[in-house]
Amino acid sequence: RREARGCLLGEKREIEERGGVLGGENGFWIGIVPGRPVQIDRILALVDRTDVAAEVIAAAGALADVLGAEKHLLHCLDYPADVALRRLPDADRALRAYHDQERAAVARELDAHTAGRGHWRIHLEDGWVGSGVPRVVQATKAQLAVLSSHSRSGLAGMLGTTAETLLERAPVSTWVLRPASWVSPIEPAD
């Protein structure tokens, strides 16, 4: 739960108890409640190319609209085919073409996700998200980052997620959403 300019993010029941429900989407609720004001003028939504990107954009956008905050969207591009392309005779040209193609595809996807949701400033960064987020947070002066946690099973789930890494590295308050499809990587004991 976070309070900002008299707004509370949290469970619907808690918000109703403290002042009423303004709106909710995908388990995300915003309520106008008394509270210590916190200035949030810029919100940064962190998305990847999974199906939960739309949920992150919807939640970050709804909060930004309530607060009157600027909306920023970050996608960090990694290029898994680079290893194979480096073996080609004209590797530099192939890599440039591949990177340009990926950037264009991501830009189209983000445009589609933000269509009809007001003005978003879109940031595409090359490289690992753990390095890109601090750079973009500093450049945009964002006060809140919104991202989603993906559930993973087995060893991957035990080693941690990108969201957990970002919680350690992000130089800004961070709101991690759990999409409806989220499942704990740890099975409860019987």
Side-chain angles (χ1 to χ4, degrees), residues 79 85 91-104:
Y79 302 98
L85 292 174
D92 289 339
R93 188 175 66 73
L95 286 166
R96 273 193 307 278
Y98 168 56
H99 290 194
D100 290 346
Q101 179 183 11
E102 286 296 299
R103 287 180 81 79

Side-chain angles (χ1 to χ4, degrees), residues 29-104:
W29 297 91
I30 301 174
I32 302 299
V33 299
R36 193 179 99 237
V38 175
Q39 191 75 19
I40 298 180
D41 296 319
R42 286 170 293 285
I43 295 176
L44 178 63
L46 311 174
V47 297
D48 55 18
R49 294 180 84 176
T50 62
D51 57 347
V52 298
E55 292 180 48
V56 171
I57 292 167
L63 181 59
D65 290 344
V66 167
L67 298 176
E70 287 179 14
K71 295 181 261 190
H72 293 265
L73 182 59
L74 171 62
H75 177 87
C76 291
L77 292 138
D78 58 0
Y79 302 98
D82 278 6
V83 173
L85 292 174
R86 286 188 186 114
R87 296 175 181 256
L88 296 175
D90 193 4
D92 289 339
R93 188 175 66 73
L95 286 166
R96 273 193 307 278
Y98 168 56
H99 290 194
D100 290 346
Q101 179 183 11
E102 286 296 299
R103 287 180 81 79

Side-chain angles (χ1 to χ4, degrees), residues 118-131:
H119 178 71
W120 285 82
R121 291 183 173 101
I122 296 177
H123 307 271
L124 296 178
E125 289 282 314
D126 287 328
W128 182 53
V129 68
S131 300

Side-chain angles (χ1 to χ4, degrees), residues 128 130 160-170:
W128 182 53
T161 64
T162 301
E164 290 168 342
T165 300
L166 290 174
L167 285 171
E168 295 171 3
R169 293 176 173 261

